[in-house]
Amino acid sequence: MMSAIDPVADVTGIGVWGVPLAVASGAVRIGTPFLFVSLGECLTEKSGRVNLGLEGTLVMGAMSAYAISYYSGSAWLGVLVAGLVGSVLGALHGWLCSLPRVNDVAIGIALISLGTGLAFFLGKPFIQPSATKLPAIDLGFWSSSPEVRSALQINALFVVGLLLAPAIAFLLARTRWGLVLRTVGESSDAARSMGYRVNTVRAIATTCGGFLAGVAGSFLSLFYPGSWNERLSSGQGLMAVALVIFAQWNPVRCLWAALLFGASSALGPALQSVGVSSGYQLFNAVPYVLTLGIMIATSSASRRLPGQPAELTVAR
Amino acid sequence: MKSERRRHAVIMSKVVLGALALFMGLGCSKNQESAAPSAAGSASGSPAADDTLTVGFIYVGPKDDYGYNQAHHEGALVVSKLPGVKIREEENVPETDDAQKTMQSMVSLDGAKLLFPTSFGYFDPHILVEAKKFPDVTFLHCGGLYDATKHPVNAGSYFGYIDEAQYVSGIVAGMTTKTNKLGFIAAKPIPQVLRNINAFTLGARSVNPKVTTAVIFTGDWSEPKKEADATNSLADQGVDVVTMHVDSPKIIVEQAEKRGIFVTGYHASQAPLAPKGYLTGAEWNWGQVYTQYVAAMKTGHLFDHMPHLERGGFKEGFIKMSPYGVAVSGDAKKKADAAKAALTDGSLVIFKGPLSDNAGKQIIAPGAAMVQTDVNLEKMAYLVEGVKGSIP
Amino acid sequence: MNRAAAEAVLIRAGALLASMALFGAFVALAGADPFDVFYQMYRGSFGTSFSVQNTLLRAAPLMLTALCTAIPARLGLMVIGGEGAMVIGGLASITCGLACGAMPPWFVTVAMAVAGIAAGGAWVGFSGALRAYRGVNETISTLLFNYIAIALLSYFVEGPMRDPTSLNKPSTRAIPAEDMLQSIPGLEVHWGLVFGLVACVIAHVLMMRSVFGFGAAIAGGNLRAGMLCGLPVRRMMIIAAVLGGGAAGLAGMAEVAAVHGRANASLVTGYGYTGILVSFMAQHEPLAIIPVALLFGGIGASNGLLQRVDHLPDATVAVLQGILFVVILASETLYGRFAIFRPREERVVRSAVRGPTPEAI
């Protein structure tokens, strides 16, 4: 049910063209944290382990980035510390899962609980103050429209993510290190017989994945929405696991998946701003329905998904 | 063939259960000893407790959210400085039976005699259940839902006509906008929120008839990401003043400042978050309201001094405006101050005829008016002319 | 008690003590007196009869939502959809309760319970079917269904099912007071607790004593082995998912019928997510869920006193839950490490996740 969109009333601003513009800029803004977490999860899963705890890592990263940026005045230092805190949580996951009889999925859920708990506890003093935010790169300097200029205010972290996706793809596909990682993910017995230490490789992959998830958190608190509070993450860390399957364990496809997810999240508010508000509750579910639909369409009961590491338990 | 491990789990659970049962048994027996004197105490006017009154405050979100909960928490801090009063606060209490248990816990474990469960959704059924259970405790709810024919005598409700403050914010917004497009970010399409949207728009159009207000509903009271998205969507549409009705306006105010547009605040003052763009804001003044209630409570008969259902606007001191920001023109200040004075002395009525909704249907006939106490205002289900969008 | 059982108890107790020590150190660093914190936790969770009832009340839905993860876990499915099933179960039960009209209260209660179980079961069962016939990962699909369930709840509550008199808190119409689920006589705890206890016992019998449970253990350990044995593995997956979802749906029904009398946004409680922790800590063993749910209920019940007396933030209990959960899961690695517990004849080999053991095949 569409309510009246009055094009005449929209002569100022950019009118209904604002919808595609808002969706496009939303794709980048909302998609960036998904991109980083899903790249991190992709790296971890390629080694044959699942870290569901990235949700906790992300929240912890967001909190520590905000706190460090507030105290030091340097947002980039905040990003770095968020990454390091993420690595610590990733390393903890990697180490605990190296112990015999410890299940990676269970430890992941435990770390969601621990990470968010710690972040909320330690983050209380930072709900109120305003920290230094990450700067934006002004790619829209050529345009006279403030809306277009604002849409092209791209955060440097997005550019980093843009470069990181093909870089990780290259690393996995073409380097020795990537080969070892994939071997460990495909068959731990084969890797062991070749003399590689499976648990160490997986712990390193999980640590790197944690770093990226921590950085994703810093994007949330220091760029967009750009504040620290307890409702900041709406499950981005968990959704990343879905996006990795959706992207079939391909880092470049993670980029597209994250952008698509971001775009579909921005659709609801963009339509409301031009007066379409019926069933807005259902618009909010669009990203999840879309993800589910694509998963149903691409999965198959009889064969393994292309790109799926054979050692992965969660995606058997 | 049963696995060894399975048997362990069963044995384990028996052992743990046993230990818990023991633990709980101890608790119960201990309680029976302690319950006796306290029951006697409450019957004979509590000899153990001195004159100190324990007041409990319950918040649905964090008490430093720059918004709804902070406004109440600031009120609680005023109360805590009163002589002979001790406060107990609990935050992030959801509107489930958690709320009931928190009230009960404040009464039975902290000895609270006066409770302020501040979230709208705490009233029915949670306060009603607990008020029946503890007739010698007074429950005061923020939301104005009390109905003397149905509800317990030891409960009361209060609320403020904050649409008056939103009207004044609207005047400032209408005077400041250059694009004539205002934005309103709202949690849910409920009467209280619609009333604020309408009052804001009417205020703006009273000084600038060309103004329209675009509304975005986020769906819930605290949705930081959607609130940020909404602010940006509105800015992309050329909106240059936004305001809101959500629990925590911090993100919206910060995003607006970043986009270089103006903003008027809500609940508490968010001025420090937007030094350039903050125009003014509609704030609660709970400290004064709570001080009145506590003073009445101290007499021993609260409801002899205060009605069960208490409401107020500027005149009663329930609400206030944030100080004007740097971007507000002298002319705007003059018009806003005049409106505030007229609302205070009752010469200005916000909802008066002729008034149509945004589909052209007449809501109030010419010459008629709905004053603040009119119950029809609490059932508001329309958006006035000048608001873009429909109620979902 | 045999050696292996002693091992299980001692390792658990050790993990519990170690968590408490870590937590004590944490709150001490945060500037609180750890002994007072422990005392307040005891007082808030089990210290008075009020506290005990508070604990029981919180434990009730956790037992049911934990089953939503535990039952499918026997078949090797990782379901995290308890929250969504609870919401959908609540929504269905209120729809049914309102449709019952002037029926006798016992009938309304039964009908609402059946509706809640059926809807929750169908909701998670759909994920089970997607897994069985399309190979869609059930962890992810149940997660997505949680978000979708919450969106549907707000759509129905604010739209087609809204009671026009529920002005500022959109809700459905309420069932009459006499149709509400009552308290257990002598307690201030509603019958949802009994639902939870009974469901755990039934689940235990089903999973540990029945042919279905035996087959599930085989298939859960090794899908191919299950298929080779001629087990209808796909159908069993769906049944397990339906049973789990049904339990969570019943929790939603209890929330509607005993607490609110109607459905509204308060139906999103977070019990579904805490249930996952409970299930894992109970190693997906239905009977062990009962004490673990009581433990988590007690932690939740003590939250208020920690805030009000020790002035700790509300996230303190989340930290404790996190520490407990990590330490207890990590302690699994200690099984078989102590020679004293080892049976003389042979070592028992155990799989990493709670679940079927190789020798069960």
Side-chain angles (χ1 to χ4, degrees), chain B residues 5-272:
Chain B
R5 193 166 163 78
R6 211 177 280 171
R7 204 153 58 221
H8 303 165
V10 176
I11 295 170
M12 246 279 302
S13 64
K14 283 177 190 156
V15 171
V16 179
L17 256 185
L20 279 173
L22 195 71
F23 214 45
M24 284 157 59
L26 281 174
C28 289
S29 63
K30 191 175 163 207
N31 176 64
Q32 268 148 20
E33 295 154 28
S34 61
S38 77
S42 63
S44 64
S46 188
D50 44 65
D51 283 347
T52 304
L53 171 70
T54 303
V55 185
F57 291 87
I58 306 173
Y59 313 116
V60 74
K63 62 189 178 214
D64 42 9
D65 63 356
Y66 257 117
Y68 185 85
N69 298 295
Q70 180 171 329
H72 285 290
H73 170 62
E74 284 170 2
L77 289 182
V78 172
V79 170
S80 72
K81 298 198 178 77
L82 301 174
V85 175
K86 193 166 72 179
I87 67 161
R88 289 292 170 95
E89 300 177 280
E90 197 170 323
E91 60 182 342
N92 282 335
V93 179
E95 294 167 352
T96 60
D97 45 9
D98 274 25
Q100 293 180 26
K101 291 298 151 189
T102 295
M103 290 179 223
Q104 221 172 331
S105 174
M106 283 179 164
V107 173
S108 23
L109 302 181
D110 301 345
K113 286 274 175 254
L114 177 61
L115 290 185
F116 287 96
T118 57
S119 183
F120 188 85
Y122 287 156
F123 190 70
D124 186 8
H126 311 303
I127 289 179
L128 298 179
V129 168
E130 296 303 315
K132 279 187 201 116
K133 214 178 281 170
F134 298 107
D136 58 340
V137 176
T138 305
F139 294 79
L140 294 171
H141 168 247
C142 180
L145 289 175
Y146 189 81
D147 178 350
T149 60
K150 292 195 285 201
H151 297 148
V153 291
N154 56 325
S157 195
Y158 56 91
F159 204 64
Y161 300 126
I162 197 147
D163 51 328
E164 295 179 359
Q166 282 287 18
Y167 186 88
V168 177
S169 286
I171 290 176
V172 176
M175 295 293 290
T176 312
T177 178
K178 294 187 179 63
T179 61
N180 292 330
K181 288 182 156 197
L182 311 182
F184 200 113
I185 297 160
K188 289 175 187 252
I190 59 171
Q192 268 172 22
V193 173
L194 299 179
R195 189 166 167 177
N196 277 338
I197 297 172
N198 290 338
F200 180 77
T201 309
L202 289 172
R205 286 169 73 95
S206 74
V207 293
N208 180 354
K210 288 194 297 261
V211 159
T212 57
T213 306
V215 182
I216 294 186
F217 294 103
T218 59
D220 220 330
W221 295 107
S222 182
E223 290 277 0
K225 203 160 69 78
K226 287 188 195 134
E227 289 158 15
D229 293 348
T231 317
N232 282 293
S233 288
L234 289 169
D236 288 343
Q237 287 297 319
V239 163
D240 67 349
V241 187
V242 291
T243 190
M244 73 299 283
H245 187 158
V246 297
D247 270 2
S248 175
K250 187 183 180 208
I251 294 250
I252 296 175
V253 174
E254 285 180 334
Q255 285 293 323
E257 181 81 350
K258 199 155 93 182
R259 290 294 299 255
I261 60 175
F262 299 111
V263 58
T264 73
Y266 193 59
H267 292 312
S269 174
Q270 293 92 26

Side-chain angles (χ1 to χ4, degrees), chain A:
Chain A
M1 195 166 52
M2 302 276 279
S3 63
I5 303 173
D6 181 5
V8 186
D10 281 316
V11 282
T12 50
I14 47 180
V16 284
W17 288 107
V19 174
L21 185 71
V23 168
S25 63
V28 172
R29 266 195 318 252
I30 304 168
T32 304
F34 284 107
L35 172 61
F36 274 87
V37 194
S38 59
L39 285 177
E41 184 65 25
C42 184
L43 205 57
T44 308
E45 290 192 12
K46 271 289 181 190
S47 79
R49 232 182 232 161
V50 168
N51 182 4
L52 285 182
L54 291 187
E55 174 72 16
T57 312
L58 177 103
V59 177
M60 198 61 199
M63 190 281 295
S64 38
Y66 200 78
I68 294 296
S69 170
Y70 172 65
Y71 281 128
S72 71
S74 160
W76 288 108
L77 187 64
V79 175
L80 180 68
V81 171
L84 293 176
V85 168
S87 314
V88 170
L89 284 171
L92 182 64
H93 183 278
W95 172 64
L96 289 173
C97 295
S98 305
L99 301 171
R101 278 188 287 276
V102 175
N103 175 257
D104 55 347
V105 173
I107 286 288
I109 294 177
L111 286 177
I112 297 180
S113 167
L114 183 67
T116 47
L118 276 177
F120 289 178
F121 189 102
L122 301 172
K124 286 286 174 196
F126 306 107
I127 296 178
Q128 286 258 336
S130 242
T132 314
K133 308 287 156 54
L134 284 171
I137 302 172
D138 191 7
L139 292 180
F141 54 86
W142 47 270
S143 170
S144 60
S145 153
E147 291 79 25
V148 172
R149 276 223 297 278
S150 162
L152 289 174
Q153 295 253 316
I154 303 292
N155 179 260
L157 275 181
F158 175 69
V159 181
V160 173
L162 212 57
L163 300 174
L164 205 57
I168 291 180
F170 177 82
L171 183 92
L172 285 173
R174 301 258 180 260
T175 64
R176 203 179 110 85
W177 202 86
L179 184 68
V180 173
L181 188 80
R182 283 186 295 132
T183 311
V184 167
E186 285 303 323
S187 164
S188 55
D189 290 338
R192 226 172 260 121
S193 66
M194 287 159 70
Y196 296 115
R197 283 188 299 182
V198 172
N199 279 332
T200 313
V201 172
R202 288 182 177 165
I204 292 171
T206 316
T207 307
C208 296
F211 187 92
L212 293 178
V215 171
S218 74
F219 181 90
L220 287 178
S221 64
L222 293 181
F223 190 72
Y224 190 82
S227 185
W228 162 247
N229 65 61
E230 294 174 6
R231 299 292 300 269
L232 191 61
S233 164
S234 43
Q236 281 97 330
L238 279 169
M239 280 306 301
V241 184
L243 292 189
V244 172
I245 298 180
F246 180 128
Q248 300 183 339
W249 294 270
N250 177 335
V252 177
R253 285 199 191 159
C254 283
L255 174 63
W256 303 125
L259 289 178
L260 183 64
F261 197 85
S264 58
S265 303
L267 186 64
L271 284 177
Q272 280 199 52
S273 70
V274 294
V276 182
S277 39
S278 300
Y280 76 100
Q281 302 98 334
L282 299 181
F283 281 124
N284 291 341
V286 165
Y288 307 107
V289 175
L290 191 72
T291 310
L292 189 68
I294 291 181
M295 276 181 62
I296 294 174
T298 53
S299 298
S300 159
S302 51
R303 60 178 165 81
R304 195 145 59 90
L305 289 171
Q308 175 179 341
E311 289 272 318
L312 212 55
T313 48
V314 75
R316 285 167 311 264

Side-chain angles (χ1 to χ4, degrees), chain C residues 129-141:
Chain C
L130 285 178
R131 167 81 172 84
Y133 292 104
R134 280 300 300 175
V136 177
N137 178 267
E138 74 286 351
T139 312
I140 304 305
S141 70

Side-chain angles (χ1 to χ4, degrees), chain B residues 1 5-6 8 24 27 31 89-92 95 98 101 104-105 110 120 133 190-192 378, chain C residues 4 46-47 49 54 57-58 167-169 188 208 259-260 266 283 304 307-308 314 350 354 359:
Chain B
M1 184 171 70
R5 193 166 163 78
R6 211 177 280 171
H8 303 165
M24 284 157 59
N31 176 64
E89 300 177 280
E90 197 170 323
E91 60 182 342
N92 282 335
E95 294 167 352
D98 274 25
K101 291 298 151 189
Q104 221 172 331
S105 174
D110 301 345
F120 188 85
K133 214 178 281 170
I190 59 171
Q192 268 172 22
E378 306 189 1
Chain C
F46 298 103
S49 77
N54 191 355
L57 196 70
R58 288 163 196 269
L167 292 175
N168 285 316
K169 179 161 184 176
E188 274 184 41
M208 303 300 173
V259 182
H260 300 286
S266 303
Q283 297 182 316
Q307 281 192 54
R308 300 190 320 257
D314 64 303
R350 297 183 189 89
R354 170 72 191 122
E359 71 269 25

